[in-house]
Amino acid sequence: MSVAVAGRAVSPARARATGLFFLAVALAIALLFGAGSGPGDARFGLNLGGRETFVTLPDLVVPVRATAYLLAAVCAFLGGVQLTRGFGARTNLVLGVVISLFVFSFLAWAARGDEMNLLGMLKSTLLRAVPITFGALSGVLCERSGVINIAIEGMLLAGALSGTVAASVTDDLWLGLLLGAVVGGAMGWILGVLAIRYQVDQIIAGFFLYLLALGLTSFLSARFLQRNQALNTPGRFQELRIPVLSDLPIVGPVVFDNNVFVYLMLALIAVVHVGLFRTRWGLRVRAVGEHPRAADTVGIRVLATRYRNVILGGMVAGIGGAFFTLGSVGRFDEGMTAGKGFIGLAAMIFGRWNPIGAFGAALVFGFADSLQTKLSILGVPIPSEFLLMAPYLATILVVAGVVRRARPPAADGKPYVKG
């Protein structure tokens, strides 16, 4: 007998394993963060320092040991319910709750006897999720039309370098952002020519473009940017505070007091989601990605649709690359994307090729990246090497746990030959 979870049949063995996992999390919380911590409180700041708002929230103070035991009891209760009768279609939701309780227990343990600005960490999470989200959206646009884009990391690098040079020369950040998108789109066009016209293996073509961008940006940086700093001083977009909305408690400072890349990201998530699932264009794109032969028979131009989507995906990745220089550090450094394009691909898979799901996954990776920085500041007794591994370890765990159950578009990675 099996139970249905989100419309799919789940075996009793998997349901039982999920329940045992909940119990294991409860035991870990009790032993590591309850018995493993001394008496003391953790203080979480809910306001950004140096920022005036209409509403000032008091700090959240929690007793570390008591909180750990309470959250462990909640996880144990959820595990017992899962083992006895199950949560049915809500299993994934409960799984997210259990993981969130574990993370909060860990944060309380890490901040015991100290203070952690929770609002600052949430804002850092959102910012660190920006390039990952742009990379994931690029992957969604490409793979929904049936083309695998492994070159996202290279597109991020190319967008970062071209945006830096253009903004430095013209002293115009918007022109730098535009050129970053154009260069990313050009790389998308090259990928389209290789994968669609010449039917080169899409994994190989994408990896070739990534290596090309990595080598070319490193050469240009060493040969020109390091010798002429005038080409590597673009400045960066300042935070744009939206009146009224930015004064909302918690959400306002985190979301509505950011630079333009955050607002572009949120707008693109909405536009791509509505475009893919609520418009005729999106229906045609999904048809090409699922069954190109059938789409061709009803008059949809399969190859043109794939070209268009790959170029659009490249432009989105180019904008994401410009974030590193024009929205973050204000200069270009070799290899500064640090694998965010590949993490974006993992976010796309975790989000099941859905823009909103990909954004949620990007927030998970952004949180892992932000967490390692915060923990190093707090002086948590965890080796720094393990802290630096946090975002990449989260990527491996997510892909290992999701990739077998995620179903990509049926024609993803398969060249189409017009009959």
Side-chain angles (χ1 to χ4, degrees), residues 42-69:
R43 181 180 295 272
F44 296 101
L46 300 179
N47 304 281
L48 288 179
R51 186 182 184 279
E52 296 183 0
T53 58
F54 292 144
V55 179
T56 301
L57 299 176
D59 292 345
L60 175 64
V61 181
V62 297
V64 178
R65 179 176 291 176
T67 299
Y69 286 139

Side-chain angles (χ1 to χ4, degrees), residues 165-195:
V165 174
S168 298
V169 171
T170 64
D171 198 25
D172 189 336
L173 293 172
W174 288 103
L175 188 59
L177 176 59
L178 177 61
L179 188 62
V182 170
V183 171
M187 289 191 65
W189 175 77
I190 296 172
L191 175 63
V193 171
L194 294 174

Side-chain angles (χ1 to χ4, degrees), residues 22-313:
F22 292 170
L23 294 178
V25 171
L27 183 62
I29 292 175
L31 294 179
L32 297 177
F33 312 135
S37 65
D41 297 335
R43 181 180 295 272
F44 296 101
L46 300 179
N47 304 281
L48 288 179
R51 186 182 184 279
E52 296 183 0
T53 58
F54 292 144
V55 179
T56 301
L57 299 176
D59 292 345
L60 175 64
V61 181
V62 297
V64 178
R65 179 176 291 176
T67 299
Y69 286 139
L70 175 62
L71 298 184
V74 173
C75 292
F77 172 75
L78 295 175
V81 174
Q82 174 67 15
L83 287 174
T84 53
R85 61 184 182 86
F87 287 98
R90 294 174 293 180
T91 300
N92 288 338
L93 175 62
V94 177
L95 175 62
V97 170
V98 169
I99 294 176
S100 299
L101 295 179
F102 178 85
V103 170
F104 185 79
S105 301
F106 175 71
L107 291 178
W109 171 80
R112 65 192 185 282
D114 207 333
E115 181 177 356
M116 176 184 294
N117 192 309
L118 192 59
L119 211 60
M121 187 173 181
L122 292 177
K123 186 167 184 176
S124 174
T125 295
L126 182 62
L127 284 173
R128 291 170 187 270
V130 169
I132 299 174
T133 302
F134 278 112
L137 290 176
S138 174
V140 169
L141 285 169
C142 294
E143 298 203 16
R144 277 291 182 175
S145 67
V147 178
I148 296 175
N149 186 0
I150 300 296
I152 293 175
E153 179 78 3
M155 294 174 179
L156 292 177
L157 280 170
L161 177 64
S162 56
T164 295
V165 174
S168 298
V169 171
T170 64
D171 198 25
D172 189 336
L173 293 172
W174 288 103
L175 188 59
L177 176 59
L178 177 61
L179 188 62
V182 170
V183 171
M187 289 191 65
W189 175 77
I190 296 172
L191 175 63
V193 171
L194 294 174
I196 299 171
R197 180 175 180 179
Y198 294 107
Q199 299 178 17
V200 177
D201 183 280
Q202 295 175 10
I203 302 295
I204 295 176
F207 197 66
F208 157 74
L209 282 177
Y210 158 64
L211 292 178
L212 175 64
L214 178 63
L216 189 58
T217 55
S218 296
F219 169 76
L220 293 175
S221 176
R223 182 68 176 83
F224 297 103
L225 271 62
Q226 293 181 15
R227 298 183 181 183
N228 187 356
Q229 290 298 315
L231 296 176
N232 200 13
T233 54
R236 63 189 184 91
F237 286 100
Q238 299 301 310
E239 291 185 345
L240 177 62
R241 186 173 181 178
I242 299 180
V244 181
L245 292 178
S246 62
D247 292 314
L248 294 174
I250 300 179
V251 177
V254 172
V255 179
F256 300 109
D257 190 3
N258 268 302
N259 66 42
V260 68
F261 284 95
V262 173
Y263 305 127
L264 280 175
M265 175 190 70
L266 297 175
L268 271 175
I269 292 169
V271 169
V272 174
H273 183 80
V274 172
L276 282 176
F277 300 106
R278 294 290 186 272
T279 67
R280 181 179 299 178
W281 168 79
L283 180 62
R284 291 178 176 179
V285 169
R286 288 182 288 125
V288 168
E290 292 291 341
H291 203 311
R293 183 70 61 189
D296 196 4
T297 60
V298 296
I300 298 175
R301 300 171 62 193
V302 174
L303 301 184
T305 299
R306 288 187 170 182
Y307 266 115
R308 181 168 56 242
N309 269 56
V310 172
I311 293 173
L312 286 174

